[in-house]
Amino acid sequence: TTEIYTLSLHDALPISMSKKNTAATIATIIVAVLAIATTLFLLYQTSQQQIQENQYNYVPSDEVNEEMNMNAVTLIKNNCEVFRIYLQYGLPHQAEPYNNVPEDGYYTVKSDSYKTFSDIETLVNSTFVGKEAKRILTNINGDDVAVYAEETDDDGNKGIGLDIKMVDENGRFKAIAYDYTWSNAKFTLHPKSNTECDIIVELNPAEETSSADTSSGSESGNTKKITANMLKVNGQWRLQKLVY
C-alpha cells in the first residue's frame, strides 16, 4: 500500500532503522518497477510508430562498411548502365539498306563500349545475382524476347544483334517512359548483416537537371526513392534486382 513508502515530513513517531530501510527499499523497488513498465510501454509505442523507417539496426565493422561502400558504388553505376542499354536508350544500331527490316530479325549494334554479346553478359552477370541476370539477358520485358543476342556476320565475326521488336517504325529504340535522371543520383547504405545491405537511391526529376541547383528536387519533394538490395553471394557482392 502507499503507506509503506509514503511518509509525511512532520511525522515524529519513532521508527526503527530496519523498518526505515525496509520502507525505503520497498519504495525504491515499487518506483523502479513503475519506471521500467513506463519505459517499456514508451519503447513499445516508439517501435510501433517507427517500425517501417527504423528497420536497420545492424552496425558493420569498419572493414565491412568500407567493403560495402566500394561495391555499392560499382553496382549502382552498373545498374544504371544496364537500365540505360536495356530499357531507356538502347545501344546504337545500324540501319538496313533502304530501311529494310533485317532478314535475320536483328539490327546490327555499332557501339564503342560493347563489341560482342559477351561484353553485355559480363556487365549483367557481374552486377546481379544469377536468377536476375538471366531474366535481364533473356526476358527483361516479360515477353520472352531477348533484347540483345549474339550475331555473326558474313565473314564469321561475332557481334551484337538488337531484336527488331525493340525498334519502332522510325528506327529508334523503344524506350520505356521514364521521368527521372540518374545524373547526380544520391544513395545511402543501410547494412542488414555482413552479407546483405539495402541501398536507398534518390533520383531527381529529369526536367530539373538543367537547373543550376540540382538539390532543388529534394526540397520540392519531387524526388524518387528506390531501394536496391545488395547481397554477398559466393564471396561477391551482387544486386538482387534491377532497380529504376
Side-chain angles (χ1 to χ4, degrees), residues 34-91:
L34 290 174
I36 291 172
T38 303
T39 302
L40 290 176
F41 177 70
L42 291 175
L43 288 175
Y44 174 78
Q45 282 189 317
T46 302
S47 66
Q48 293 303 303
Q49 293 169 359
Q50 299 180 353
I51 192 168
Q52 295 300 323
E53 55 194 52
N54 189 27
Q55 54 183 316
Y56 304 105
N57 298 316
Y58 174 76
V59 179
S61 66
D62 291 343
E63 181 180 359
V64 173
N65 185 65
E66 182 179 358
E67 180 184 331
M68 287 180 172
N69 273 278
M70 291 178 61
N71 282 275
V73 171
T74 300
L75 292 177
I76 291 300
K77 175 179 175 293
N78 288 354
N79 178 94
C80 174
E81 177 70 1
V82 172
F83 167 67
R84 284 174 169 170
I85 69 174
Y86 267 89
L87 297 172
Q88 190 175 32
Y89 301 125
L91 291 174

Side-chain angles (χ1 to χ4, degrees), residues 26-198:
I26 294 174
T28 302
I29 292 174
I30 293 176
V31 171
V33 170
L34 290 174
I36 291 172
T38 303
T39 302
L40 290 176
F41 177 70
L42 291 175
L43 288 175
Y44 174 78
Q45 282 189 317
T46 302
S47 66
Q48 293 303 303
Q49 293 169 359
Q50 299 180 353
I51 192 168
Q52 295 300 323
E53 55 194 52
N54 189 27
Q55 54 183 316
Y56 304 105
N57 298 316
Y58 174 76
V59 179
S61 66
D62 291 343
E63 181 180 359
V64 173
N65 185 65
E66 182 179 358
E67 180 184 331
M68 287 180 172
N69 273 278
M70 291 178 61
N71 282 275
V73 171
T74 300
L75 292 177
I76 291 300
K77 175 179 175 293
N78 288 354
N79 178 94
C80 174
E81 177 70 1
V82 172
F83 167 67
R84 284 174 169 170
I85 69 174
Y86 267 89
L87 297 172
Q88 190 175 32
Y89 301 125
L91 291 174
H93 62 277
Q94 181 176 297
E96 292 290 298
Y98 309 106
N99 291 323
N100 290 329
V101 176
E103 293 182 358
D104 63 355
Y106 290 95
Y107 286 96
T108 300
V109 168
K110 292 295 183 182
S111 169
D112 294 332
S113 301
Y114 303 95
K115 303 295 186 181
T116 65
F117 183 64
S118 63
D119 293 335
I120 297 177
E121 287 182 310
T122 298
L123 169 67
V124 175
N125 287 324
S126 64
T127 305
F128 302 97
V129 296
K131 183 178 180 180
E132 178 66 356
K134 182 178 179 180
R135 183 190 73 84
I136 293 169
L137 292 169
T138 62
N139 190 28
I140 191 170
N141 293 306
D143 52 7
D144 294 324
V145 174
V147 176
Y148 301 103
E150 185 175 76
E151 188 180 47
T152 305
D153 64 18
D154 296 336
D155 297 325
N157 299 314
K158 301 292 184 181
I160 303 172
L162 172 64
D163 194 283
I164 59 174
K165 297 183 182 68
M166 297 305 302
V167 179
D168 64 19
E169 63 275 10
N170 297 313
R172 295 175 298 192
F173 183 81
K174 290 182 179 178
I176 65 169
Y178 196 71
D179 298 327
Y180 295 87
T181 176
W182 283 80
S183 298
N184 299 311
K186 301 175 183 178
F187 66 91
T188 308
L189 299 187
H190 294 283
K192 302 174 76 172
S193 72
N194 273 359
T195 57
E196 183 176 5
C197 179
D198 280 352

Side-chain angles (χ1 to χ4, degrees), residues 205-233:
E207 64 270 15
E208 293 187 5
T209 56
S210 59
S211 171
D213 183 10
T214 56
S215 65
S216 62
S218 59
E219 296 176 357
S220 65
N222 292 326
T223 57
K224 177 180 181 179
K225 289 186 178 180
I226 54 179
T227 301
N229 184 251
M230 182 172 70
L231 302 172
K232 194 171 188 179
V233 182

